RNA sequence: GGGCGAAUAGCUCAGUUGGUUAGAGCGCCACUCUUACAAAGUGGAUGUCGGGGGUUCGAGUCCCUUUUCGCCCA
């Protein structure tokens, strides 16, 4: 904008304006939220993005939705606090840094050591935190940056220590041996949520174990089948079903039931299974019964290779309908076998080192990796004649989500949180309605997951995270442990509540220290206690986020005022991992729920319906979208698509850096380092470019044309504002009597009041797309296409001009405020210019407009302006304009040529529409010659029937007979179709006798009108033919 | 295997308690540089509402079933 000449460019220059505006907001503390008891608090804590990498479009959506709520509540006069921060994302971040360490320096974390590695991760964190916060700022997020937290900073650390100490003291934390998912690459246990099954090609090896001293008539071997033969080194039993006959009968019964209800297509497969079962009964069953008896008789086997004696046992885990009917039991390396071992009191033999190699229990195979051990074991068994056969088979192998390497089930010491009570409290919070989840269907998953009340394994064998604050010592004898326990219990720190002590059977002492305290640590170390190496699961610290960020465990003024927070806005994949745990931790620590509402927003998918990810190459950086379309378009575009039921599908394009053409991303080209432009043919590079030859091509931003709608809307808004401002010279605020306003003014004010009300209720209920559509329709169709068009002639009339200026200024003002939460930059830019033309512009207030729209009041709903009958009346005008325009277009009459028409209507309609003559002139280029219940028709005319009016456009000068005939014929066939439908319905006896009277009456009336129209149309066609 | 969700115009999506001829934006076609906006304006064409069955006078909407896709859990 040129301040001297009042010239306004016809595009919003977001590239320079956005940062200027954001800096101004920052400079003036517009985002700051401080305790003010005269006002209501409104609080949101950000779902802290992981510092693993830059933000993607999913984050952009998530944060836009939060910013909208924050900005709206801020305008509504609440103290709106948006608490920002990032998450250390334990395993994910460490995995990335370790991977880079390997790639760049070819080193492992052990080469570096704990301290050095953690230092490196902090560097990584600083780099990405800066990038992430920068991205949020470019999006316009109005967080209170003074309060930015990190889940690993000292304040969060203190909250973690306090929580851990509290749970430990309540005996809700314990250590136990459990079979865990072991990631041999990262050398840590990972939770079930961090592993994914992948189907890979494997083998099914059938192995024989010899019996020790079998009796006459008994088999010499038992055959088992396994996909992981190396685990035989840790076998401690072989199981057979206790009653194989009954088990086979049961399996058969199930199959027969299935066959009964199966579709024809599925029947053959089930039948063949039944046939196989019958064969088994014949051939295998006697053998299995014999084996079950042998097991009961205590028969033993000699485990080959390690030459260990192991029992044959009976357990229902052995399935007679599968394989050989017998199964090897490896308790320390298989979850099902682990359960069997618990049931049958079998020893558990660990054969693996943390790095995935065979340990000393593996006999001759010690030191080999699991895959190498597998090959050697199979070869050795083959040499011994114990390999019966090998089958190819597809098998599901769990893979670590982080390192992408296969998971080894592994028996390890793990720290757990007992979930029984905690989970129940979080379930109650939702079932009692204290925490409301939108959309409600997501409550199911939350409740189901918590309902399992599985204890939470919280330890991770990592270096990046909150180290578990427990010092332990294991003794030979229980008595020694108890004596140390007594000694510690007698310490003054114990009575001061700084330490807590417990015994893990049989002889381990655990001491938990409440707060960071070097002296105390030394004291415990002098007693021979050693700190636990493990760190806590990253979700442990994020679970405290709503209260730890507000200062807990201190009872701060912020905590008292802003907690519980108002709403949590997040994505569905972390409802259990994060949302549920925040609820239970909030209840445990603060005694109150952490938030009253939770809104689960859709996921952003690409054009193929796949989730976006960097590894697929279909990810979109919000900054690319901002650079091309602007931050407001990014936000509006996301909101426009954020509906309640559907995920957001978003086809992705490369933007050619040479010619700016959008090149569709396909499953092929998104994986390639360089792609050729569809249009100019020149090459550009993608995220995969690594070689110099690829990098030589300029990199293409990845965007989506879905944002064009929003960009166009922002432009429309900008130009409508430009029009208003260009026509505000000489503007003086004036008092307005609503009742005596012309129809068009009453109408736009009624529309404005309605859309204000809609925005408020839709946003309150998180129906973002509906809100966006409401304001879009208002701004584009109602304000721009109709009101502004009608304002044009009025602005030329000195008498009408002041009033129109007032209404325009008022509407623009309110519209900008309604849009500000969604499109903050463009509305602020316009707002600050508007001040120069109209500093007082609100119809209801003589106050000077606020300097900042971010600080302006949210528009009040003026119920008294909502006039449904005015909106109905106005619709007649819109219909009339449309009818005339259609004829113009059909007859191809140039816009500059004036035409005439007459209308058959009742006097009331004439009274309503005759005063609008000037608008018909300006908007349809047409003049009415008559308004009458029986007008004299032009000799050649085109007739259009609209609600309560017949419009006859004079075509004496213009007639294109063929065009008019074809228009009428089309109309006629349409009418005939409808008449047939209605006549059919009304002649249907059951419709007439059963449908409600008002529906029937409506149908009759509609039919009469249609028949009248048909007759008129037929006559018109006849007349046209005679010309 | 269990649970949740989706399937509507070429594309992305609306469609409240069942009730005239199922809507929007983009794209497409035609015509317009009309001084806010060509990122615009005006008009137009485009649908077996995934398939099958049922309830009902009447079904995109309710019920059953089936197919395909996505997500979560096992």
């Amino acid at each position: 904008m040129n301040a001297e000449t009042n010239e306004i460019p016809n595009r919003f220059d977001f590239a320079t304006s956005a940062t200027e505006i954001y800096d101004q907001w920052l400079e003036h503390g517009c985002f700051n939220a401080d305790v003010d008891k005269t006002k209501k608090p409104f609080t949101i804590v950000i779902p802290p993005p992981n510092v693993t990498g830059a933000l993607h479009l999913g984050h952009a959506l998530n944060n836009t939705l939060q910013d909208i709520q924050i900005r709206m509540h801020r305008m509504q006069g609440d103290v709106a606090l948006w608490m920002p921060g990032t998450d250390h994302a334990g395993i994910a971040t460490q995995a990335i840094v370790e991977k880079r360490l390997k790639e760049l320096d070819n080193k492992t974390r052990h080469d570096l050591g704990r301290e050095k590695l953690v230092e490196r991760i902090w560097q990584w964190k600083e780099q990405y935190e800066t990038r992430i916060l920068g991205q949020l700022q470019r999006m316009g997020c109005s967080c209170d940056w003074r309060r930015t937290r990190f889940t690993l900073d000292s304040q969060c650390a203190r909250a973690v220590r306090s929580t851990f100490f509290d749970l430990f003291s309540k005996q809700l934390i314990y250590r136990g041996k459990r079979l865990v998912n072991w990631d041999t690459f990262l050398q840590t246990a990972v939770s079930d949520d961090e592993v994914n099954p992948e189907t890979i090609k494997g083998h099914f090896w059938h192995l024989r174990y010899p019996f020790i001293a079998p009796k006459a008539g008994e088999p010499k071997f038992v055959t088992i089948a396994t996909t992981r033969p190396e685990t035989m080194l840790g076998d401690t039993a072989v199981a057979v079903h206790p009653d194989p006959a009954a088990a086979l009968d049961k399996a058969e019964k199930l199959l027969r039931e299935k066959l009964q209800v199966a579709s024809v297509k599925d029947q053959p497969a089930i039948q063949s299974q039944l046939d196989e079962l019958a064969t088994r009964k014949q051939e295998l069953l006697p053998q299995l019964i014999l084996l079950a008896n042998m097991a009961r008789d205590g028969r033993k086997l000699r485990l080959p290779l390690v030459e260990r004696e192991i029992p044959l046992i009976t357990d229902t885990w052995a399935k007679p309908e599968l394989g050989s009917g017998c199964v090897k039991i490896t308790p320390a390396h298989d979850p099902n076998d682990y359960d069997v071992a618990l049931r049958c009191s079998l020893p558990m033999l660990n054969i693996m080192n943390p790095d995935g190699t065979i340990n000393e229990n593996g006999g001759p195979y010690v030191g080999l990796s699991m895959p190498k051990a597998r090959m050697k074991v199979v070869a050795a068994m083959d040499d011994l004649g114990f390999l019966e056969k090998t089958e190819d088979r597809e098998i599901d192998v769990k893979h670590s989500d982080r390192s992408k390497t296969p998971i080894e089930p592994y028996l390890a010491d793990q720290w757990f949180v007992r979930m029984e009570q905690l989970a129940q409290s979080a379930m109650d919070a939702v079932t009692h309605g204290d925490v409301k989840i939108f959309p409600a269907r997501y409550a199911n998953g939350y409740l189901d997951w918590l309902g399992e009340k599985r204890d939470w394994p919280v330890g991770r064998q990592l270096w990046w995270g909150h180290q578990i604050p427990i010092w332990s010592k294991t003794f030979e004898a229980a008595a020694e442990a108890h004596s140390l326990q007594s000694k510690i219990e007698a310490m003054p720190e114990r009575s001061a509540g700084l330490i807590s002590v417990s015994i893990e059977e049989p002889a381990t002492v655990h001491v938990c220290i409440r707060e960071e305290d070097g002296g105390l640590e030394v004291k415990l170390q002098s007693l021979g206690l050693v700190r636990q190496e493990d760190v806590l699961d990253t979700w442990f610290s994020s679970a405290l986020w709503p209260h730890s960020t507000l200062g807990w465990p201190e009872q701060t003024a912020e905590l008292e005022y802003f907690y519980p927070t108002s709403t949590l806005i997040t994505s569905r994949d972390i409802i259990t991992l994060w949302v549920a745990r925040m609820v239970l931790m909030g209840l445990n620590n603060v005694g109150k729920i952490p938030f009253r509402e939770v809104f689960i927003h859709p996921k952003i998918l690409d054009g193929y319906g796949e989730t976006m990810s960097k590894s697929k190459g279909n990810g979109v950086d919000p900054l690319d979208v901002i650079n091309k379309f602007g931050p407001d378009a990014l936000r509006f575009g996301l909101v426009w698509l954020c509906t309640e039921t559907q995920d957001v599908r978003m086809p992705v394009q490369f933007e050619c850096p040479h010619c700016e053409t959008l090149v569709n991303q396909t499953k092929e080209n998104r994986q390639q380092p360089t792609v050729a432009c569809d249009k100019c043919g020149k090459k550009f590079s993608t995220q995969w470019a690594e070689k110099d030859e690829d990098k030589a091509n300029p990199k293409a931003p990845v965007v989506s044309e879905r944002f064009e709608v929003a960009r166009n809307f922002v432009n429309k808004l900008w130009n409508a504002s430009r029009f208003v401002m260009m026509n505000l010279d000489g503007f003086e605020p004036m008092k307005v009597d609503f009742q005596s306003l012309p129809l068009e003014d009453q109408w736009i004010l009624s529309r404005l009041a309605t859309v204000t009300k809609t925005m408020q209720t839709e946003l309150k209920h998180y129906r973002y797309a509906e809100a966006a559509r409401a304001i879009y329709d208002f701004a584009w169709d109602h304000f721009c296409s109709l009101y502004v068009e009608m304002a044009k002639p009025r602005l030329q009339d000195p008498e009408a001009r002041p009033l129109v200026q007032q209404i325009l200024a008022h509407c623009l003002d309110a519209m900008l405020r309604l849009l500000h939460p969604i499109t903050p930059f463009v509305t602020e830019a316009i707002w600050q210019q508007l001040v120069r033309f109209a500093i007082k512009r609100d119809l209801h207030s003589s106050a000077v407009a606020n300097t900042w729209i971010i600080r302006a009041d949210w528009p009040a709903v003026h119920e008294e302006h909502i006039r449904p009958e005015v909106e109905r009346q106005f619709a007649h005008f819109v219909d009339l304009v449309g009818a005339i325009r259609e004829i113009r277009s059909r007859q191809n009459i140039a816009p500059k040529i004036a035409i005439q028409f007459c209308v058959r209507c009742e006097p009331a309609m004439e009274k309503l529409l005759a005063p609008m003559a000037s608008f018909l002139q300006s908007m349809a280029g047409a003049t009415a010659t008559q308004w009458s219940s029986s007008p004299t028709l032009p000799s050649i005319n085109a007739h259009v029937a609209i609600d309560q009016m017949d419009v006859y456009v004079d075509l004496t000068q213009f007639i294109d007979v063929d065009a008019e005939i074809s228009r009428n014929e089309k109309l006629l066939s349409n009418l005939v179709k409808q008449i047939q439908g209605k006549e059919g319905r009304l002649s249907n006896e059951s419709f007439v006798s059963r449908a409600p009277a008002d529906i029937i009456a409506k149908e009759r009336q509609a039919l009469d009108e249609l028949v009248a129209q048909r007759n008129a149309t037929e006559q018109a066609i006849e007349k046209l033919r005679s010309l």
Side-chain angles (χ1 to χ4, degrees):
Chain A
M1 154 115 35
N2 184 324
E4 297 299 312
T5 61
N6 276 0
E7 265 178 28
I8 306 172
N10 69 356
R11 292 274 189 277
F12 172 47
D13 176 19
F14 57 80
T16 54
S17 298
T19 43
E20 279 173 26
I21 289 169
Y22 198 85
D23 287 346
Q24 287 174 32
W25 287 333
L26 274 181
E27 197 184 315
H28 291 82
C30 293
F31 309 155
N32 295 352
D34 294 301
V35 174
D36 177 352
K37 294 201 171 159
T38 65
K39 293 180 176 177
K40 275 194 315 189
F42 180 84
T43 317
I44 299 180
V45 290
I46 198 170
N50 291 348
V51 290
T52 42
L55 302 185
H56 51 69
L57 269 190
H59 293 107
L61 172 66
N62 176 255
N63 288 292
T64 297
L65 301 182
Q66 294 175 75
D67 197 38
I68 288 170
Q69 295 291 341
I70 286 287
R71 285 181 185 267
M72 180 173 76
H73 280 273
R74 186 184 290 125
M75 292 172 82
Q76 288 172 347
D78 295 346
V79 178
L81 168 61
W82 189 6
M83 176 71 73
T86 49
D87 194 305
H88 71 281
I91 190 167
T93 314
Q94 182 169 329
I96 285 187
V97 174
E98 278 193 63
K99 199 174 152 215
R100 277 177 60 90
L101 189 65
K102 186 82 190 159
E103 284 167 3
L104 298 178
D105 302 352
N106 195 27
K107 282 186 182 162
T108 70
R109 74 174 195 246
H110 302 287
D111 297 330
L112 227 63
R114 184 163 191 156
E115 208 171 301
K116 278 259 157 51
L117 182 84
V118 169
E119 205 174 283
R120 283 235 185 178
I121 307 178
W122 273 105
Q123 285 167 10
W124 175 277
K125 174 258 171 183
E126 295 301 336
Q127 186 188 339
Y128 274 91
E129 182 185 56
T130 307
R131 177 138 174 223
I132 289 166
L133 300 184
Q135 284 178 305
L136 291 173
Q137 297 188 340
R138 292 265 329 257
M139 286 175 220
C141 293
S142 61
C143 305
D144 188 346
W145 300 108
R146 302 170 304 168
R147 302 182 187 273
T148 306
R149 299 247 67 87
F150 177 54
T151 54
L152 209 54
D153 67 19
S154 59
Q155 185 173 315
C156 292
R158 201 159 162 235
V160 166
R161 286 287 281 257
S162 289
T163 306
F164 194 89
F165 183 84
D166 172 59
L167 296 175
F168 183 84
S169 305
K170 288 176 179 162
Q171 302 196 329
L172 292 179
I173 285 188
Y174 66 93
R175 194 174 75 163
K177 280 230 184 302
R178 285 294 161 99
L179 206 59
V180 296
N181 301 306
W182 191 259
D183 182 325
T184 56
F185 179 79
L186 294 168
Q187 300 192 22
T188 178
V190 295
S191 72
D192 289 341
D193 311 308
E194 293 162 329
V195 300
N196 298 311
E198 278 176 44
T199 306
I200 60 164
K201 282 192 178 133
H203 303 283
F204 211 36
W205 285 276
H206 295 250
L207 305 177
R208 288 176 172 171
Y209 295 173
F211 276 108
I212 296 169
K215 293 180 181 164
E218 290 181 354
K220 294 205 163 43
F221 302 99
V222 62
T223 303
I224 51 92
T226 177
T227 57
R228 295 159 64 216
E230 69 283 6
T231 61
M232 70 168 282
L233 302 172
D235 283 359
T236 57
V238 168
V240 61
H241 197 280
D243 188 353
L248 284 174
D249 286 345
K250 196 178 162 196
E252 187 183 348
K253 196 177 152 218
L254 281 173
L255 275 176
R256 291 211 181 278
E257 280 169 9
K258 212 169 146 191
L259 185 65
Q260 294 256 308
V261 294
S263 65
V264 181
K265 197 179 79 185
D266 297 334
Q267 280 174 8
I270 297 171
Q271 187 56 52
S272 81
Q273 280 179 292
L274 274 167
D275 295 345
E276 200 205 313
L277 213 56
T279 322
R280 256 173 195 274
K281 274 185 158 174
Q282 291 261 313
E283 294 171 5
L284 197 63
L285 184 57
Q287 171 97 347
L288 289 175
I289 291 170
L290 180 59
L291 285 168
N293 287 330
M294 288 168 73
R296 277 186 279 269
D297 199 28
R299 205 71 79 248
K300 296 226 171 354
L301 296 150
R302 178 159 303 281
L303 187 64
L305 310 182
V306 283
E307 301 299 317
R308 203 166 54 239
E309 204 173 274
I310 58 171
L312 180 69
I313 60 163
T314 59
D315 190 277
T316 52
W317 167 237
K319 304 287 175 214
E321 66 273 24
L322 296 175
S324 69
C326 295
V327 60
K328 66 195 268 302
I329 305 296
T330 322
H333 299 280
D334 182 277
N336 294 303
D337 296 1
Y338 178 79
D339 292 340
V340 175
L342 289 180
R343 278 199 292 273
C344 304
S345 310
L346 296 171
M348 303 190 185
L349 189 67
N350 183 12
I351 59 159
M352 194 180 80
N353 291 312
D355 63 358
T357 57
I358 302 289
N359 68 13
E360 66 283 0
N361 290 328
Y365 304 93
V366 63
L368 295 177
S369 69
M370 297 300 262
K372 279 198 180 132
R374 172 175 301 178
M375 286 165 60
K376 294 232 168 181
V377 164
V378 170
M381 289 294 278
D382 198 12
D383 288 348
L384 290 169
F386 290 150
L387 178 62
E388 192 175 291
K389 62 174 170 176
T390 308
E391 291 174 74
D392 289 336
R393 171 184 278 219
E394 294 208 325
I395 48 175
D396 279 343
V397 178
K398 284 185 185 175
H399 281 67
S400 167
D401 188 40
R402 295 304 167 195
S403 68
K404 310 292 175 200
T405 56
I407 287 291
E408 296 288 346
Y410 181 59
L411 199 62
D413 280 326
Q414 277 295 304
W415 289 96
F416 290 90
V417 175
R418 232 180 277 283
M419 291 299 280
E420 179 70 33
Q421 308 159 20
L422 293 170
Q424 189 60 49
S425 70
M427 291 171 77
D428 292 345
V430 166
T431 47
H432 297 168
D434 301 327
V435 174
K436 291 192 187 66
I437 300 179
F438 298 88
R441 67 186 128 96
Y442 289 113
N444 296 336
Y446 172 97
L447 292 171
D448 289 350
W449 186 83
L450 282 171
E452 290 182 27
K453 298 187 178 173
R454 281 187 299 180
D455 286 350
W456 175 14
V458 284
R460 294 288 181 277
Q461 291 68 42
L462 298 171
W463 292 346
W464 176 243
H466 297 276
Q467 194 174 352
I468 290 180
I470 288 184
W471 281 254
S472 314
K473 182 171 170 133
T474 303
F475 292 94
E476 295 286 321
E480 289 176 274
H482 284 100
S483 117
L484 179 60
Q485 184 189 22
S486 313
K487 200 166 168 185
I488 291 166
E489 279 178 345
M491 284 167 61
E493 287 87 351
R494 167 80 205 294
S495 40
L498 295 173
I499 58 173
S500 180
V501 60
S502 79
I503 293 272
E504 176 189 333
E505 297 301 332
T508 302
V509 177
H510 296 302
V511 182
C512 185
I513 307 185
R514 182 186 191 117
E515 285 181 24
E516 189 91 42
D517 183 340
L520 194 48
E521 287 177 21
V522 170
K523 219 163 158 182
L524 291 181
Q525 278 157 16
S526 70
L527 292 169
L529 291 151
V530 176
R531 186 168 187 177
Q532 293 286 322
E533 290 270 311
D534 291 7
V535 300
L536 287 165
D537 179 7
T538 196
W539 297 108
F540 193 93
S541 51
S542 12
L544 315 181
W545 191 244
H547 55 277
S548 67
T549 51
L550 290 168
W552 189 89
E554 286 315 310
Q555 291 302 310
T556 59
E558 279 84 0
L559 187 65
E560 192 198 333
Y561 183 70
F562 289 113
Y563 190 95
T565 68
S566 309
T567 184
L568 179 83
I569 297 180
T570 190
S571 153
R572 77 170 93 90
D573 35 11
I574 49 178
I575 295 174
T576 52
L577 297 176
W578 189 47
V579 179
R581 285 167 179 164
M582 277 193 286
V583 175
L584 61 89
M585 284 299 202
L587 288 167
N588 182 73
N589 287 354
V590 191
K592 290 185 209 160
I593 51 162
F595 27 72
R596 298 185 181 89
E597 297 184 350
V598 179
F599 174 62
I600 306 295
H601 60 71
K603 287 187 72 101
I604 308 242
L605 309 174
D606 72 1
Y608 299 102
E610 296 179 6
T611 50
M612 286 186 178
S613 75
K614 211 166 178 185
S615 55
K616 279 187 201 158
N618 59 356
V620 176
D621 183 344
L623 294 189
D624 281 348
V625 177
I626 290 175
N627 291 336
K628 182 167 177 65
F629 297 105
D632 296 310
L634 170 74
R635 296 167 59 114
F636 192 91
L638 289 169
V639 167
W640 178 257
L641 296 168
C642 179
T643 59
E644 211 169 282
T645 48
Q646 302 249 20
D647 282 336
V648 179
R649 258 190 188 222
M650 190 169 274
V652 173
Q653 290 89 29
F654 294 106
E655 189 197 12
C656 173
H658 308 285
C659 68
E660 293 188 13
T661 300
L662 294 182
V663 178
N664 281 329
Q665 208 179 60
T666 62
K667 287 188 184 187
E668 292 79 47
N669 70 16
R670 76 186 192 199
Q671 294 289 353
Q672 293 161 0
T674 56
V675 175
C677 173
D678 287 348
K679 197 172 171 201
C680 70
K682 290 183 191 158
K683 283 185 176 173
F684 54 80
S685 63
T686 71
Q687 64 167 44
W688 306 108
E690 275 172 12
K691 292 185 205 148
D692 289 342
E693 54 177 288
D694 292 327
K695 280 185 171 169
N697 300 306
K699 189 172 175 198
V702 176
V703 297
S704 174
E705 64 189 5
R706 288 280 144 241
F707 291 101
E708 283 177 6
V709 182
R711 189 259 325 256
N712 295 354
F713 178 65
V714 168
N715 180 242
K716 189 76 180 175
L717 182 70
W718 175 262
N719 278 292
S721 308
R722 181 168 173 245
F723 172 83
V724 173
M725 290 190 275
M726 282 164 57
N727 285 285
L728 279 184
D729 43 299
F731 169 72
E732 290 290 341
M734 65 186 288
K735 279 248 182 298
V736 164
D737 173 25
F738 181 73
Q739 297 303 325
S740 59
L741 285 174
L743 185 68
E744 62 273 21
D745 295 332
Q746 290 194 25
W747 172 77
I748 196 67
L749 291 174
S750 174
R751 291 295 320 132
L752 177 64
T754 306
V755 77
T756 304
K757 203 172 164 180
T758 306
M759 288 290 280
Q760 196 148 310
T761 50
E762 300 293 27
L763 286 179
K764 191 171 172 217
H765 294 99
Y766 308 101
R767 290 189 292 254
Y768 289 95
E770 283 81 352
R773 274 158 220 267
I775 192 69
Y776 180 97
D777 290 346
F778 174 79
W780 201 304
D781 297 340
H782 305 151
F783 186 71
C784 293
S785 295
L786 285 166
Y787 192 76
V788 165
E789 288 310 315
M790 295 172 78
K792 283 175 181 174
R794 295 174 77 198
L795 285 165
Q796 306 305 317
D797 173 359
E799 262 185 57
R801 185 177 166 88
L803 174 63
V804 184
Q805 286 181 322
Q806 175 63 72
I807 305 286
L808 280 170
H810 172 84
C811 288
L812 178 61
D813 175 286
M815 188 166 77
L816 290 171
R817 285 183 285 149
L818 288 173
L819 269 162
H820 179 257
I822 308 181
T823 55
F825 293 105
V826 68
T827 50
E828 186 70 272
I830 297 167
W831 185 269
Q832 291 184 21
Q833 295 309 324
L834 191 53
V835 170
R836 304 188 9 239
F837 302 95
I839 193 154
K840 296 178 186 175
R841 54 201 181 230
D842 193 313
L843 278 180
H844 309 280
S845 154
S846 55
V848 168
N850 201 309
T851 321
W852 307 89
I853 195 170
I854 190 175
R855 286 181 171 161
D857 291 337
W858 184 251
V861 178
H862 288 281
E863 291 278 358
E864 73 278 13
H865 288 183
I866 299 179
R867 302 279 295 276
E869 82 285 3
V870 169
E871 298 202 22
R872 268 197 300 277
Q873 289 172 344
F874 200 81
H876 291 303
F877 168 75
V878 174
D879 279 356
L880 180 56
V881 171
I884 299 168
R885 281 172 172 173
E886 188 190 340
I887 298 301
R888 287 196 81 109
S889 176
R890 295 278 189 192
Q891 288 289 324
N892 210 2
I893 301 170
K896 279 183 181 157
I897 298 172
I899 55 172
Q900 295 186 325
F901 66 96
C902 66
V903 177
R904 188 206 309 273
C905 65
E906 296 305 313
M909 189 65 78
E910 180 188 357
K911 200 176 160 211
L912 182 71
L913 293 179
M916 314 277 273
S918 66
F919 303 134
L920 291 165
Q921 183 82 67
S922 63
M923 295 172 71
T927 313
T929 51
Q930 287 179 82
W931 302 87
S932 160
S933 55
S934 54
T936 314
L937 304 184
S939 60
I940 303 170
N941 65 64
H943 166 235
V944 189
I946 53 177
D947 190 20
Q948 298 173 48
M949 281 180 274
D950 284 297
V951 183
Y952 302 89
V953 177
D954 186 344
L955 292 183
T956 321
Q957 307 292 314
F958 312 103
I959 187 73
D960 176 342
V961 178
D962 291 342
E964 188 57 12
I965 288 176
S966 87
R967 179 183 79 87
N968 276 288
E969 277 177 341
K970 198 175 164 220
L971 188 63
L972 182 64
S973 81
N974 200 348
L975 287 167
V976 168
K977 233 188 288 172
Q978 285 183 62
I979 287 167
Q980 282 168 352
K982 293 251 184 294
E983 279 173 342
R985 200 166 307 151
L986 283 164
S987 61
N988 183 340
E989 173 52 31
S990 50
F991 173 70
V992 181
S993 59
R994 298 198 199 200
D998 59 321
I999 296 284
I1000 296 171
K1002 235 161 111 184
E1003 287 287 299
R1004 287 234 158 83
Q1005 198 196 335
L1007 179 60
D1008 291 347
E1009 281 166 21
L1010 288 168
V1011 168
Q1013 280 181 38
R1014 181 194 61 192
N1015 296 343
T1017 309
E1018 279 170 350
Q1019 283 169 22
I1021 292 173
E1022 223 167 280
K1023 195 170 171 199
L1024 286 162
R1025 289 232 163 89
S1026 70
L1027 284 175

